[in-house]
Amino acid sequence: MALWGNRDSKTASGTIAIASNGTVTGTSTSFTTQANVGDYIRVSGEDYLIKSIASNTSAVVVAAN
């Protein structure tokens, strides 16, 4: 899983699955310490904007355009 904010690029731990409604479920992830609302996640060449983080293994995203 790759994450980045405004100008930085970093790799984060774990694997994720994104449901069609934007719910992200992570395995061995640390969303609360490795990501922030407003950051982007790149998965399989697609970019997603993080709207909310509920826990280390749960977040909500929207497709970035």
Side-chain angles (χ1 to χ4, degrees), residues 1-4 22 24 31 34-42 47-54 58-64:
M1 170 177 65
L3 295 169
W4 72 95
V24 179
F31 295 141
Q34 294 183 339
N36 295 300
V37 171
D39 284 352
Y40 290 87
I41 298 175
R42 174 168 279 185
D47 297 333
Y48 298 88
L49 175 67
I50 299 173
K51 287 180 51 176
S52 65
I53 298 172
S58 179
V60 175
V61 298
V62 294

Side-chain angles (χ1 to χ4, degrees), residues 13-56:
S13 62
T15 58
I16 62 170
I18 302 175
S20 60
N21 67 358
T23 300
V24 179
T25 303
T27 302
S28 299
T29 52
S30 299
F31 295 141
T32 61
T33 58
Q34 294 183 339
N36 295 300
V37 171
D39 284 352
Y40 290 87
I41 298 175
R42 174 168 279 185
V43 179
S44 300
E46 297 292 325
D47 297 333
Y48 298 88
L49 175 67
I50 299 173
K51 287 180 51 176
S52 65
I53 298 172
S55 68
N56 276 325

